[in-house]
Amino acid sequence: MMSLLVHVMGLALVVWMAAWVPNVSPNAKLDVSHSLHVGPISFLRNDSGGHGGGGTHDKIAASQGALPKLTLDDQLTPPEAAPLNPDPKLPEASSVMALSDVKLPQLGQLGDPLAAVQGPPANGPGGGGGIGSGCCSGVGPGHGPGFGPYDAGNVFRPGRGGVTPPRPIYDPDPDYSDAARKAKYQGAVLLWLVVDADGRPHNIRIQRSLGMGLDEKAVAAVSAWRFQPGTLKGQPVAVEINVEVSFRLY
């Protein structure tokens, strides 16, 4: 009886383990796909009058001067014509989100190149940091971290005013993360990015997260993509787009 009982318990344990182990084929395949979205695009943009503005609530207008470094990457330090902290502990070069092909006079100190006031150095009556009469760490009368008159730092939206979207010409799929594969986790990551006039992606941001390490895999892959740039009147321009990266396990 004891021998029979031991054998029955052993058989029951085998059946239970077979039912408990996830039914994942060792040859399960990964499917990663992606698609471009030309709208709606909701990140970064402000359509209330340009994409560059700033100031530190000075009582006088912003002084004339040169723009700082122009970049499409995240801004770390807003520009200041009159530094609020002349001796920072961790100095960082200032920048505005604009393109390097913005042609403006090369002046000495930082300021608003289109300002009428030549001195003394002043950041202007705007707010949120930066220089000008607008807001939010840029330069000019607009709203945002760019250069006001150049609406989003010369970054365009597909379909507006005849702007064509960029088209990927080198777009390898992302890798599947180990954690997501083991958990049989699936879904889609939505990214926002700017494709510059040379077809390179910049300032990639996660607009809809998926988790399990797949967000990072999507960003790493899209960072290496290359595009045929979008155009305006036949000329390459920087264009903001969404890219959806889908992860499937089958």
Side-chain angles (χ1 to χ4, degrees):
M1 289 295 294
M2 289 297 295
S3 176
L4 178 61
L5 182 59
V6 170
H7 282 79
V8 170
M9 291 177 64
L11 180 61
L13 179 61
V14 171
V15 172
W16 176 81
M17 290 183 65
W20 178 81
V21 174
N23 183 24
V24 180
S25 167
N27 297 319
K29 296 182 179 180
L30 309 178
D31 176 40
V32 186
S33 60
H34 49 262
S35 59
L36 300 187
H37 289 244
V38 297
I41 299 172
S42 58
F43 246 95
L44 190 67
R45 187 84 164 191
N46 185 296
D47 291 322
S48 61
H51 191 74
T56 56
H57 303 291
D58 291 353
K59 294 183 179 181
I60 59 176
S63 56
Q64 189 180 82
L67 290 177
K69 175 184 176 182
L70 307 180
T71 178
L72 288 179
D73 296 322
D74 287 330
Q75 182 191 57
L76 298 178
T77 303
E80 293 177 341
L84 301 181
N85 181 7
D87 188 24
K89 292 182 178 180
L90 295 174
E92 181 71 36
S94 61
S95 65
V96 292
M97 294 181 66
L99 294 179
S100 58
D101 59 358
V102 175
K103 303 301 182 184
L104 294 167
Q106 296 299 310
L107 304 169
Q109 64 186 23
L110 292 183
D112 183 350
L114 302 182
V117 179
Q118 296 185 0
N123 295 324
I131 302 170
S133 57
C135 176
C136 307
S137 73
V139 175
H143 188 285
F147 179 43
Y150 289 87
D151 192 24
N154 262 4
V155 177
F156 299 89
R157 280 189 179 182
R160 289 191 173 185
V163 175
T164 65
R167 182 176 61 84
I169 54 178
Y170 174 73
D171 53 350
D173 289 330
D175 295 325
Y176 223 99
S177 68
D178 291 339
R181 184 180 65 252
K182 292 176 181 177
K184 298 196 299 183
Y185 193 64
Q186 307 178 80
V189 179
L190 185 64
L191 303 176
W192 178 96
L193 61 141
V194 173
V195 178
D196 68 16
D198 293 324
R200 297 177 180 272
H202 291 268
N203 205 21
I204 301 174
R205 301 186 182 187
I206 299 169
Q207 195 163 9
R208 186 178 66 238
S209 175
L210 185 57
M212 297 289 286
L214 297 177
D215 297 343
E216 293 78 5
K217 294 293 186 181
V219 171
V222 174
S223 297
W225 287 11
R226 293 297 178 263
F227 295 80
Q228 177 179 309
T231 62
L232 174 62
K233 298 180 180 179
Q235 298 299 315
V237 294
V239 177
E240 57 180 341
I241 59 171
N242 287 133
V243 173
E244 185 176 75
V245 182
S246 298
F247 294 86
R248 296 287 181 262
L249 183 65
Y250 65 96

